[in-house]
Amino acid sequence: MSTPNGVSAMGTGSGVLVLADVTRVHGRGPTAVHALRGVSLTVGAGELVAVMGPSGSGKSTLLNLAGGLDHATAGMVAVEDMDLDALSAAQLAAVRRRHVGYVFQDLNLIPALTAAENVSLPLELDGATACIARRQAREALAEVGLLELVDRFPDDMSGGQQQRVAIARALVGDRRLILADEPTGALDSETGEEVLRLLRARCDAGAAGLLVTHEARHAGWADRVVFLRDGAVVDETAYAVTPQAIATSS
Amino acid sequence: MTITAPEEAPPQRPVPATGGVRRWWRSWRVALRVARRDAWRDKWRSLLVVAIILAPVAVLTTIDVYVRTDNLTRSAAWQGMERIGTAANARVVAGFTRPAAQSPDASTYSTLTRDGRLSDWSTDLAVLKVQALLPPEWRTTRIWTDTVTVRSGQSEWGVNVAVGDTRDPLVAGTYAVVEGRLPVTPSEVVLDTELANSLDLPVGSPLVLYSQDQNGNAGQPLGQATIIGIANGPESFTIGAMPGLLPGDAGTAMTTSWLVETPSPLTWSDIRAQNQRGLVLTSRSVLTDPPAFCAIDQACMDDAPLPSGPDAGEAGSINLSMRPDEAAALAAVGMLALLQVALMAGPAFAVSLRRRQRDLALIGANGGTPTDLRRAILSSALVLGLVAAGTAVAVAWLIVRLGGMLAPRFGKSMWPNPVLAPEVVAVALVAVIAAVAAAWVPARIAGRTDVLHALRGRRPSGPLRHWVAGLGAGLVAGGTGLIAIGAVLAEAVSITLGLLTFQVGTILLVPWLVNALARGGRRLPLSLRLATRDAARSRMRTVAAVSAVAAAAIGATATLVGTASNVAGRSHFYAPRAQPGVVLADITYAGEHPERADPERAVAALRAQLAESLPGATIGVARQLGGYAANGNQNTTVVLHLPDCPHPMAEDGMPLTGSSEDCMYSSPNYTLSGVVRADDQWYAAVTGDTRPEMRAALATGEAIVLDPQALQDGTVELATTTLDDNGETASIRTTALPARLAAFNIVGPRVIVGPSTTLPKGWGRDGTVSVAVVPPAGPDGSSAQAAVEAATGALSAGTGGRWTRSGHAYLEAGYQDDLRVVLGLLVAGTLALALFAALSVTALALVDARPDLATMAAVGAPPRSRRTYAAASALVVAGLGCVVGVVAGLVPGWALARLWGVGWQSGGAGVEGHQIPGSDFFTVPWLMLLAIAVGVPLITAAVAWTFTRSRIPLTRRTD
């Protein structure tokens, strides 16, 4: 297992993503806001976990903590056995380049870069040569069925195409954790289903996925659903048979 | 549910009127109010825009106000005010037996004939008769002037003495006391600052006043007084004294005036009434408020044509008329300056548009027309432009007023209230025009705002218009043509207009260049790739900034190339005065009896002195031929007589100087020139020629000619003129000498004769001696120069000032033209402009790139990414601007090289070079241009990198 900048791995079990008793408090004193309260969650390889809850329940905070964009006030967040709290800013950036892929609701792509350049961004930032980065980006785009759009700019793509490029970017290289924050929020239902089908497929291929969504229909693509309210896990479904599994078994 | 149609159509609302002046004004009023509040809310941005516009406009306005005020200060009106002082309210300046006519400031006046016409005013009255004309109810005090000579050391000065009872309260304000006090007894005097500095006598020193003889030299002592202060009056070089110091005390009517206190201020009609009695006056109330027919700074008379005479045109009127070509060149320069200001302020309005994009979208969503949207941006420019204009005028007025208040400390005076002329309003209007021009493109884009696009937060941008680039290319080509024509014809107007056209064309080309850079930047590193594409996506702000940098770089490059070429030409044609390292010093006899000068003795003393301070130095001596003849005071001048040239003597007996097309005479710039008698050491030191045959020539009485034109058939013809005691030509004689040619490019002498050369009797001796010192190996040139200075100084002291050095000792060090400071300032100025333009755009780019930087953070960009992006953005703007500017600046640079080259190519002999028809120098200072094209962008990027926070936004959103 590769570790960013020589950080040693720790034994936290078999999950790609492990959150153990994580608390996040914004502010202090009487104005303190508890965004998360003692949340524990493990996402394993090949597993897609959906997080649901009303606005302000802490879903996005959970995602930010999982990607190292934010720090937990208490508890532990580990990605592929690395304790994110112990890493410097530069090491966290390296984790995001090599281990974690993000997919947001919108503004996922940098408009000044082509599809291939957007996908190869983490590789380029990691020092890969332009040739290698572009080759891997083409492969990733081919996997999401967008090989014909490699040189197109985001402004010239549809919303669904943009999200598929974002998923390609989230998986380019050896990354095994996809963090998706309302990835279908800005899409029509048909395109949204396509994006989720793709996400599901990537997880079935071995990636770990954490999907934040409002819609139960989309959560149906997940193996498990975790319900958040006021920053705490209030419910959690058992491992479920997904529509994709049904479709493939039939 | 069933929907039924209404039985009657609802009454239609009246359609609001869409036109009319009232609606137009209301729309502007609302827009201006919003703009004013917006400017106040965003004070720092407003301050920045105002500062950008204010700085050049304030400088122009200050110059204009200063020039006008200074002209007024030198006008007859101001001098009249100074002469009246603060206590008196009028001054009688002349009196006649007949009625007179005068201008309001009395700068011109004359008597009238019986039929009322102007006549010659030679019939001035005696002082007492004028005094008798003064009305008895006026309180008066008399002031008159005389001319005397004063001495300090060996020097004499002819000065004016203003005599008047300085104890009289009416005199108050006619002197500004700088030090000490005004005299109260006849044995006390005050000097003005200029005279005190010249005499170098401290307050408390005695001063003897001598009469002046007909030659202006000191005559008999007239009186002695103590200097008790320094005080400045309206005339420079003046002594202020009490009556009784000088004998006579009468003066004449023409040098006498009366300070007057009248019961009531004298109006123009009062003055006209006194004119009928023969008095000519200045009155404070008329000077400050002249009659309607006459401006305060003009010499004019209401009932008669202006008299001709030496004073008629010296009333301080301001002549602003200029030739059409000068006006065109000035207008083009003004347009260039305006363009630069507009370009500098442009990015600020691009920021404004970006910031107000949502407001504009809301206006559009609520029925605002494109005109309303444009107006929203233009009104902001109008408000800021007006603030800048008002501030510029106020700043200029304050600076000039402050200068006026401080001027007396330096012995000067200034018109008390700076003049705000119509030109000032015009210059201030430039501020408003510049602001509106800067906001024009953002306003046009605002007018095309796509409401939905803007509400979604997309950046305002339009498609790239290729025809604009085509037009730009055409203008660049046209501008180049104009510049080329101007360069060939040496026409500044054509070059300036061409430069303006060229500049506008370049600006129109910049969008295409920005786009091309983005398209061609596929292989660039990530940050640069992002920066180039962002620059293309936000063309509006980028184009303004890149154009501003390019305009500055064009100016700097053109000046650098022009200057370097000019320096190369001057250096190429530089003619030294001697061999490198040789020190030259000219000593002149300044004693009263030139015929008694003993140059041999002075030179021997100098040699002895230099033998101690510069042992081993070789000393050569030369003497200017001509000067005072041995037999009296007759002045003899020896000059060259060139074949086929006009006789070298002008009608007044003085030698011609300078050059015509083929005829060169002695140089006016050097003490020793023309024909000199020199020993062989001097000849070798100056020319570097050590050939034995030339030494032999000098020893055998041959002349050595340095100018090929002077030699004809192996002889050179010299001419002499002798002036008699009255300064008139007594005789002109010519003589021919055998001569050899030694065509060295040396400034100064044209013909050299040896010490033993026999010249016709009466050719005389001259007081000027040139000493050429070749220092021994070892000491550097400057210490040898110091030693020669010291030796000649000692000679002067040892001879009681009879022998003095002319100027400083001159060290020949080859061509010296240290332009490093000027050129360095040019590069620094370009850097400052590039920094300003690039950093302001980079700041905007960082704001715009916030979501992109957040995305980059999410995919693992290292913390320094924001800095790298900022540096890349600055590099793109400054780099593109500087490279475009440097490349484009070569064309006007070539034109300037040709234009400025004309000056030295046609310069006279003995200056820096001879006229070389068709010679052309085009030197490109590559190192300096590299500093602009590469150094300036790199420094700009480094500054952006240094002053940008490295932290990038980590979170996309927080719950």
Side-chain angles (χ1 to χ4, degrees), chain A residues 64 69 93 96-97 104 106-108 111-112 117 124 155, chain B residues 526 529 533 537 852 855-858 860 954 956-957 959:
Chain A
N64 289 336
L69 290 176
R96 288 194 296 275
R97 290 198 296 272
F104 300 105
D106 56 6
L107 301 174
N108 262 305
E117 287 171 338
E124 278 200 71
D155 286 348
Chain B
L526 180 65
R529 204 185 322 146
R533 290 189 186 158
R537 280 163 51 80
D852 297 350
T855 301
M856 285 175 67
L954 280 176
R956 307 240 338 153
R957 56 185 249 215
D959 280 352

PDB file of all heavy atoms in Angstrom, chain A residues 64 69 93 96-97 104 106-108 111-112 117 124 155, chain B residues 526 529 533 537 852 855-858 860 954 956-957 959:
ATOM      1  N   ASN A  64     -16.575  16.102   3.701  1.00  0.00           N
ATOM      2  CA  ASN A  64     -15.365  16.920   3.769  1.00  0.00           C
ATOM      3  C   ASN A  64     -14.318  16.290   4.682  1.00  0.00           C
ATOM      4  O   ASN A  64     -13.120  16.320   4.401  1.00  0.00           O
ATOM      5  CB  ASN A  64     -15.698  18.330   4.256  1.00  0.00           C
ATOM      6  CG  ASN A  64     -16.465  19.132   3.199  1.00  0.00           C
ATOM      7  OD1 ASN A  64     -16.377  18.847   2.000  1.00  0.00           O
ATOM      8  ND2 ASN A  64     -17.239  20.107   3.639  1.00  0.00           N
ATOM      9  N   LEU A  69     -10.646  17.442   3.571  1.00  0.00           N
ATOM     10  CA  LEU A  69     -10.822  18.865   3.337  1.00  0.00           C
ATOM     11  C   LEU A  69     -11.091  19.603   4.636  1.00  0.00           C
ATOM     12  O   LEU A  69     -10.992  20.826   4.698  1.00  0.00           O
ATOM     13  CB  LEU A  69     -11.988  19.114   2.366  1.00  0.00           C
ATOM     14  CG  LEU A  69     -11.771  18.695   0.909  1.00  0.00           C
ATOM     15  CD1 LEU A  69     -13.040  18.908   0.100  1.00  0.00           C
ATOM     16  CD2 LEU A  69     -10.628  19.471   0.291  1.00  0.00           C
ATOM     17  N   ALA A  93      -3.134  16.744   0.806  1.00  0.00           N
ATOM     18  CA  ALA A  93      -3.309  16.985  -0.625  1.00  0.00           C
ATOM     19  C   ALA A  93      -2.861  15.758  -1.411  1.00  0.00           C
ATOM     20  O   ALA A  93      -3.513  15.362  -2.396  1.00  0.00           O
ATOM     21  CB  ALA A  93      -2.503  18.218  -1.048  1.00  0.00           C
ATOM     22  N   ARG A  96      -5.487  13.139  -1.381  1.00  0.00           N
ATOM     23  CA  ARG A  96      -6.568  13.415  -2.324  1.00  0.00           C
ATOM     24  C   ARG A  96      -6.131  13.137  -3.760  1.00  0.00           C
ATOM     25  O   ARG A  96      -6.932  12.784  -4.602  1.00  0.00           O
ATOM     26  CB  ARG A  96      -7.050  14.864  -2.169  1.00  0.00           C
ATOM     27  CG  ARG A  96      -7.831  15.111  -0.902  1.00  0.00           C
ATOM     28  CD  ARG A  96      -8.554  16.442  -0.954  1.00  0.00           C
ATOM     29  NE  ARG A  96      -7.632  17.565  -1.018  1.00  0.00           N
ATOM     30  CZ  ARG A  96      -7.074  18.124   0.044  1.00  0.00           C
ATOM     31  NH1 ARG A  96      -7.352  17.668   1.265  1.00  0.00           N
ATOM     32  NH2 ARG A  96      -6.250  19.133  -0.094  1.00  0.00           N
ATOM     33  N   ARG A  97      -4.856  13.330  -4.032  1.00  0.00           N
ATOM     34  CA  ARG A  97      -4.384  13.066  -5.394  1.00  0.00           C
ATOM     35  C   ARG A  97      -4.335  11.574  -5.700  1.00  0.00           C
ATOM     36  O   ARG A  97      -4.568  11.154  -6.827  1.00  0.00           O
ATOM     37  CB  ARG A  97      -2.974  13.654  -5.590  1.00  0.00           C
ATOM     38  CG  ARG A  97      -2.919  15.139  -5.630  1.00  0.00           C
ATOM     39  CD  ARG A  97      -1.625  15.620  -6.248  1.00  0.00           C
ATOM     40  NE  ARG A  97      -0.443  15.265  -5.479  1.00  0.00           N
ATOM     41  CZ  ARG A  97       0.070  15.983  -4.496  1.00  0.00           C
ATOM     42  NH1 ARG A  97      -0.520  17.109  -4.143  1.00  0.00           N
ATOM     43  NH2 ARG A  97       1.162  15.589  -3.859  1.00  0.00           N
ATOM     44  N   PHE A 104     -18.825  16.407  -7.100  1.00  0.00           N
ATOM     45  CA  PHE A 104     -19.758  17.339  -6.477  1.00  0.00           C
ATOM     46  C   PHE A 104     -21.014  17.486  -7.322  1.00  0.00           C
ATOM     47  O   PHE A 104     -21.099  16.968  -8.431  1.00  0.00           O
ATOM     48  CB  PHE A 104     -19.101  18.709  -6.311  1.00  0.00           C
ATOM     49  CG  PHE A 104     -17.869  18.679  -5.457  1.00  0.00           C
ATOM     50  CD1 PHE A 104     -16.610  18.774  -6.017  1.00  0.00           C
ATOM     51  CD2 PHE A 104     -17.972  18.523  -4.082  1.00  0.00           C
ATOM     52  CE1 PHE A 104     -15.488  18.741  -5.225  1.00  0.00           C
ATOM     53  CE2 PHE A 104     -16.846  18.480  -3.292  1.00  0.00           C
ATOM     54  CZ  PHE A 104     -15.597  18.586  -3.864  1.00  0.00           C
ATOM     55  N   ASP A 106     -22.244  20.362  -8.660  1.00  0.00           N
ATOM     56  CA  ASP A 106     -21.929  21.124  -9.869  1.00  0.00           C
ATOM     57  C   ASP A 106     -20.550  21.762  -9.689  1.00  0.00           C
ATOM     58  O   ASP A 106     -19.887  21.533  -8.679  1.00  0.00           O
ATOM     59  CB  ASP A 106     -22.995  22.187 -10.160  1.00  0.00           C
ATOM     60  CG  ASP A 106     -23.193  23.122  -8.986  1.00  0.00           C
ATOM     61  OD1 ASP A 106     -22.432  23.013  -8.000  1.00  0.00           O
ATOM     62  OD2 ASP A 106     -24.097  23.962  -9.044  1.00  0.00           O
ATOM     63  N   LEU A 107     -20.150  22.545 -10.667  1.00  0.00           N
ATOM     64  CA  LEU A 107     -18.831  23.172 -10.656  1.00  0.00           C
ATOM     65  C   LEU A 107     -17.741  22.153 -10.356  1.00  0.00           C
ATOM     66  O   LEU A 107     -16.791  22.404  -9.638  1.00  0.00           O
ATOM     67  CB  LEU A 107     -18.780  24.324  -9.631  1.00  0.00           C
ATOM     68  CG  LEU A 107     -19.778  25.461  -9.849  1.00  0.00           C
ATOM     69  CD1 LEU A 107     -19.719  26.451  -8.706  1.00  0.00           C
ATOM     70  CD2 LEU A 107     -19.538  26.153 -11.169  1.00  0.00           C
ATOM     71  N   ASN A 108     -17.933  20.943 -10.894  1.00  0.00           N
ATOM     72  CA  ASN A 108     -16.965  19.869 -10.681  1.00  0.00           C
ATOM     73  C   ASN A 108     -15.696  20.060 -11.477  1.00  0.00           C
ATOM     74  O   ASN A 108     -14.631  19.672 -11.047  1.00  0.00           O
ATOM     75  CB  ASN A 108     -17.593  18.550 -11.130  1.00  0.00           C
ATOM     76  CG  ASN A 108     -18.155  17.799  -9.962  1.00  0.00           C
ATOM     77  OD1 ASN A 108     -17.443  17.546  -9.014  1.00  0.00           O
ATOM     78  ND2 ASN A 108     -19.424  17.465 -10.029  1.00  0.00           N
ATOM     79  N   PRO A 111     -13.393  25.015 -15.885  1.00  0.00           N
ATOM     80  CA  PRO A 111     -13.856  25.328 -17.244  1.00  0.00           C
ATOM     81  C   PRO A 111     -12.727  25.622 -18.221  1.00  0.00           C
ATOM     82  O   PRO A 111     -12.928  25.518 -19.430  1.00  0.00           O
ATOM     83  CB  PRO A 111     -14.749  26.556 -17.055  1.00  0.00           C
ATOM     84  CG  PRO A 111     -14.545  27.010 -15.674  1.00  0.00           C
ATOM     85  CD  PRO A 111     -13.902  25.947 -14.888  1.00  0.00           C
ATOM     86  N   ALA A 112     -11.561  26.001 -17.704  1.00  0.00           N
ATOM     87  CA  ALA A 112     -10.463  26.352 -18.614  1.00  0.00           C
ATOM     88  C   ALA A 112      -9.712  25.115 -19.094  1.00  0.00           C
ATOM     89  O   ALA A 112      -8.810  25.241 -19.917  1.00  0.00           O
ATOM     90  CB  ALA A 112      -9.501  27.305 -17.918  1.00  0.00           C
ATOM     91  N   GLU A 117      -7.856  16.969 -19.724  1.00  0.00           N
ATOM     92  CA  GLU A 117      -7.015  17.707 -18.770  1.00  0.00           C
ATOM     93  C   GLU A 117      -7.641  17.710 -17.383  1.00  0.00           C
ATOM     94  O   GLU A 117      -6.931  17.657 -16.377  1.00  0.00           O
ATOM     95  CB  GLU A 117      -6.798  19.132 -19.268  1.00  0.00           C
ATOM     96  CG  GLU A 117      -5.846  19.203 -20.454  1.00  0.00           C
ATOM     97  CD  GLU A 117      -5.813  20.583 -21.088  1.00  0.00           C
ATOM     98  OE1 GLU A 117      -6.788  21.349 -20.898  1.00  0.00           O
ATOM     99  OE2 GLU A 117      -4.832  20.878 -21.775  1.00  0.00           O
ATOM    100  N   GLU A 124      -1.351  15.053 -12.972  1.00  0.00           N
ATOM    101  CA  GLU A 124      -0.405  16.135 -13.282  1.00  0.00           C
ATOM    102  C   GLU A 124       0.071  16.806 -12.012  1.00  0.00           C
ATOM    103  O   GLU A 124       1.250  17.130 -11.860  1.00  0.00           O
ATOM    104  CB  GLU A 124      -1.072  17.166 -14.186  1.00  0.00           C
ATOM    105  CG  GLU A 124      -1.075  16.782 -15.646  1.00  0.00           C
ATOM    106  CD  GLU A 124      -1.285  17.999 -16.533  1.00  0.00           C
ATOM    107  OE1 GLU A 124      -0.375  18.826 -16.636  1.00  0.00           O
ATOM    108  OE2 GLU A 124      -2.397  18.108 -17.098  1.00  0.00           O
ATOM    109  N   ASP A 155     -17.769  23.744 -20.800  1.00  0.00           N
ATOM    110  CA  ASP A 155     -18.891  24.568 -21.254  1.00  0.00           C
ATOM    111  C   ASP A 155     -19.572  23.977 -22.487  1.00  0.00           C
ATOM    112  O   ASP A 155     -20.706  24.349 -22.816  1.00  0.00           O
ATOM    113  CB  ASP A 155     -18.409  25.993 -21.580  1.00  0.00           C
ATOM    114  CG  ASP A 155     -18.111  26.779 -20.314  1.00  0.00           C
ATOM    115  OD1 ASP A 155     -18.499  26.306 -19.221  1.00  0.00           O
ATOM    116  OD2 ASP A 155     -17.481  27.848 -20.417  1.00  0.00           O
TER     117      ASP A 155
ATOM    118  N   LEU B 526       0.711  23.192 -15.886  1.00  0.00           N
ATOM    119  CA  LEU B 526      -0.697  23.336 -15.513  1.00  0.00           C
ATOM    120  C   LEU B 526      -1.082  24.775 -15.158  1.00  0.00           C
ATOM    121  O   LEU B 526      -2.064  25.303 -15.671  1.00  0.00           O
ATOM    122  CB  LEU B 526      -1.004  22.392 -14.347  1.00  0.00           C
ATOM    123  CG  LEU B 526      -2.437  22.444 -13.846  1.00  0.00           C
ATOM    124  CD1 LEU B 526      -3.396  21.947 -14.913  1.00  0.00           C
ATOM    125  CD2 LEU B 526      -2.588  21.612 -12.580  1.00  0.00           C
ATOM    126  N   ARG B 529      -1.049  26.997 -18.091  1.00  0.00           N
ATOM    127  CA  ARG B 529      -2.136  26.622 -18.994  1.00  0.00           C
ATOM    128  C   ARG B 529      -3.460  27.196 -18.484  1.00  0.00           C
ATOM    129  O   ARG B 529      -4.238  27.790 -19.222  1.00  0.00           O
ATOM    130  CB  ARG B 529      -2.224  25.100 -19.073  1.00  0.00           C
ATOM    131  CG  ARG B 529      -2.858  24.586 -20.335  1.00  0.00           C
ATOM    132  CD  ARG B 529      -3.020  23.085 -20.298  1.00  0.00           C
ATOM    133  NE  ARG B 529      -1.911  22.404 -19.676  1.00  0.00           N
ATOM    134  CZ  ARG B 529      -2.045  21.281 -18.959  1.00  0.00           C
ATOM    135  NH1 ARG B 529      -3.241  20.730 -18.811  1.00  0.00           N
ATOM    136  NH2 ARG B 529      -1.018  20.699 -18.421  1.00  0.00           N
ATOM    137  N   ARG B 533      -5.635  30.230 -20.324  1.00  0.00           N
ATOM    138  CA  ARG B 533      -7.033  30.001 -20.738  1.00  0.00           C
ATOM    139  C   ARG B 533      -7.990  30.891 -19.960  1.00  0.00           C
ATOM    140  O   ARG B 533      -8.989  31.367 -20.496  1.00  0.00           O
ATOM    141  CB  ARG B 533      -7.377  28.529 -20.551  1.00  0.00           C
ATOM    142  CG  ARG B 533      -6.635  27.694 -21.568  1.00  0.00           C
ATOM    143  CD  ARG B 533      -7.074  26.291 -21.586  1.00  0.00           C
ATOM    144  NE  ARG B 533      -6.237  25.501 -22.471  1.00  0.00           N
ATOM    145  CZ  ARG B 533      -6.127  24.203 -22.377  1.00  0.00           C
ATOM    146  NH1 ARG B 533      -6.796  23.536 -21.445  1.00  0.00           N
ATOM    147  NH2 ARG B 533      -5.370  23.538 -23.205  1.00  0.00           N
ATOM    148  N   ARG B 537     -10.607  33.508 -21.379  1.00  0.00           N
ATOM    149  CA  ARG B 537     -12.024  33.464 -20.995  1.00  0.00           C
ATOM    150  C   ARG B 537     -12.487  34.807 -20.427  1.00  0.00           C
ATOM    151  O   ARG B 537     -13.645  35.164 -20.545  1.00  0.00           O
ATOM    152  CB  ARG B 537     -12.249  32.367 -19.954  1.00  0.00           C
ATOM    153  CG  ARG B 537     -12.348  30.969 -20.566  1.00  0.00           C
ATOM    154  CD  ARG B 537     -12.147  29.911 -19.510  1.00  0.00           C
ATOM    155  NE  ARG B 537     -12.999  30.109 -18.344  1.00  0.00           N
ATOM    156  CZ  ARG B 537     -14.281  29.772 -18.275  1.00  0.00           C
ATOM    157  NH1 ARG B 537     -14.855  29.223 -19.318  1.00  0.00           N
ATOM    158  NH2 ARG B 537     -14.975  29.971 -17.183  1.00  0.00           N
ATOM    159  N   ASP B 852     -12.551  27.224  -9.081  1.00  0.00           N
ATOM    160  CA  ASP B 852     -11.581  26.331  -9.726  1.00  0.00           C
ATOM    161  C   ASP B 852     -10.514  25.892  -8.737  1.00  0.00           C
ATOM    162  O   ASP B 852     -10.094  24.733  -8.731  1.00  0.00           O
ATOM    163  CB  ASP B 852     -10.915  27.035 -10.918  1.00  0.00           C
ATOM    164  CG  ASP B 852     -11.918  27.392 -12.001  1.00  0.00           C
ATOM    165  OD1 ASP B 852     -13.069  26.923 -11.892  1.00  0.00           O
ATOM    166  OD2 ASP B 852     -11.562  28.129 -12.920  1.00  0.00           O
ATOM    167  N   THR B 855     -11.899  23.278  -6.538  1.00  0.00           N
ATOM    168  CA  THR B 855     -11.907  21.982  -7.215  1.00  0.00           C
ATOM    169  C   THR B 855     -10.516  21.372  -7.213  1.00  0.00           C
ATOM    170  O   THR B 855     -10.339  20.174  -6.964  1.00  0.00           O
ATOM    171  CB  THR B 855     -12.409  22.156  -8.665  1.00  0.00           C
ATOM    172  OG1 THR B 855     -13.717  22.703  -8.609  1.00  0.00           O
ATOM    173  CG2 THR B 855     -12.442  20.836  -9.395  1.00  0.00           C
ATOM    174  N   MET B 856      -9.536  22.234  -7.486  1.00  0.00           N
ATOM    175  CA  MET B 856      -8.162  21.733  -7.486  1.00  0.00           C
ATOM    176  C   MET B 856      -7.774  21.220  -6.110  1.00  0.00           C
ATOM    177  O   MET B 856      -7.090  20.193  -5.981  1.00  0.00           O
ATOM    178  CB  MET B 856      -7.198  22.840  -7.928  1.00  0.00           C
ATOM    179  CG  MET B 856      -7.255  23.103  -9.427  1.00  0.00           C
ATOM    180  SD  MET B 856      -6.228  24.476  -9.911  1.00  0.00           S
ATOM    181  CE  MET B 856      -4.606  23.803  -9.573  1.00  0.00           C
ATOM    182  N   ALA B 857      -8.216  21.929  -5.070  1.00  0.00           N
ATOM    183  CA  ALA B 857      -7.912  21.469  -3.720  1.00  0.00           C
ATOM    184  C   ALA B 857      -8.534  20.105  -3.472  1.00  0.00           C
ATOM    185  O   ALA B 857      -7.938  19.223  -2.852  1.00  0.00           O
ATOM    186  CB  ALA B 857      -8.430  22.480  -2.701  1.00  0.00           C
ATOM    187  N   ALA B 858      -9.746  19.943  -4.003  1.00  0.00           N
ATOM    188  CA  ALA B 858     -10.442  18.679  -3.781  1.00  0.00           C
ATOM    189  C   ALA B 858      -9.758  17.516  -4.482  1.00  0.00           C
ATOM    190  O   ALA B 858      -9.855  16.376  -4.040  1.00  0.00           O
ATOM    191  CB  ALA B 858     -11.881  18.807  -4.275  1.00  0.00           C
ATOM    192  N   GLY B 860      -6.564  17.393  -4.823  1.00  0.00           N
ATOM    193  CA  GLY B 860      -5.245  17.188  -4.260  1.00  0.00           C
ATOM    194  C   GLY B 860      -4.187  18.187  -4.658  1.00  0.00           C
ATOM    195  O   GLY B 860      -2.994  17.889  -4.591  1.00  0.00           O
ATOM    196  N   LEU B 954     -10.311  25.118   1.042  1.00  0.00           N
ATOM    197  CA  LEU B 954     -10.333  23.662   1.139  1.00  0.00           C
ATOM    198  C   LEU B 954     -11.727  23.098   1.005  1.00  0.00           C
ATOM    199  O   LEU B 954     -11.937  22.025   0.466  1.00  0.00           O
ATOM    200  CB  LEU B 954      -9.728  23.227   2.470  1.00  0.00           C
ATOM    201  CG  LEU B 954      -8.189  23.219   2.504  1.00  0.00           C
ATOM    202  CD1 LEU B 954      -7.709  22.873   3.885  1.00  0.00           C
ATOM    203  CD2 LEU B 954      -7.641  22.225   1.498  1.00  0.00           C
ATOM    204  N   ARG B 956     -15.692  23.078  -0.157  1.00  0.00           N
ATOM    205  CA  ARG B 956     -16.575  23.595  -1.184  1.00  0.00           C
ATOM    206  C   ARG B 956     -17.787  24.226  -0.545  1.00  0.00           C
ATOM    207  O   ARG B 956     -18.309  25.204  -1.015  1.00  0.00           O
ATOM    208  CB  ARG B 956     -17.012  22.462  -2.113  1.00  0.00           C
ATOM    209  CG  ARG B 956     -15.854  21.697  -2.652  1.00  0.00           C
ATOM    210  CD  ARG B 956     -15.716  21.690  -4.101  1.00  0.00           C
ATOM    211  NE  ARG B 956     -16.881  21.973  -4.863  1.00  0.00           N
ATOM    212  CZ  ARG B 956     -16.785  22.495  -6.057  1.00  0.00           C
ATOM    213  NH1 ARG B 956     -15.617  22.816  -6.528  1.00  0.00           N
ATOM    214  NH2 ARG B 956     -17.846  22.701  -6.766  1.00  0.00           N
ATOM    215  N   ARG B 957     -18.216  23.665   0.506  1.00  0.00           N
ATOM    216  CA  ARG B 957     -19.324  24.269   1.213  1.00  0.00           C
ATOM    217  C   ARG B 957     -19.358  23.676   2.613  1.00  0.00           C
ATOM    218  O   ARG B 957     -18.790  22.621   2.861  1.00  0.00           O
ATOM    219  CB  ARG B 957     -20.650  24.018   0.505  1.00  0.00           C
ATOM    220  CG  ARG B 957     -20.953  22.559   0.276  1.00  0.00           C
ATOM    221  CD  ARG B 957     -22.196  22.410  -0.507  1.00  0.00           C
ATOM    222  NE  ARG B 957     -23.269  21.845   0.306  1.00  0.00           N
ATOM    223  CZ  ARG B 957     -24.179  21.006  -0.190  1.00  0.00           C
ATOM    224  NH1 ARG B 957     -24.132  20.648  -1.461  1.00  0.00           N
ATOM    225  NH2 ARG B 957     -25.128  20.539   0.555  1.00  0.00           N
ATOM    226  N   ASP B 959     -21.892  22.851   6.031  1.00  0.00           N
ATOM    227  CA  ASP B 959     -23.300  22.805   6.490  1.00  0.00           C
ATOM    228  C   ASP B 959     -23.530  23.844   7.579  1.00  0.00           C
ATOM    229  O   ASP B 959     -22.634  24.189   8.292  1.00  0.00           O
ATOM    230  CB  ASP B 959     -23.597  21.422   7.052  1.00  0.00           C
ATOM    231  CG  ASP B 959     -23.865  20.453   5.918  1.00  0.00           C
ATOM    232  OD1 ASP B 959     -23.953  20.922   4.750  1.00  0.00           O
ATOM    233  OD2 ASP B 959     -23.949  19.266   6.189  1.00  0.00           O
TER     234      ASP B 959
END
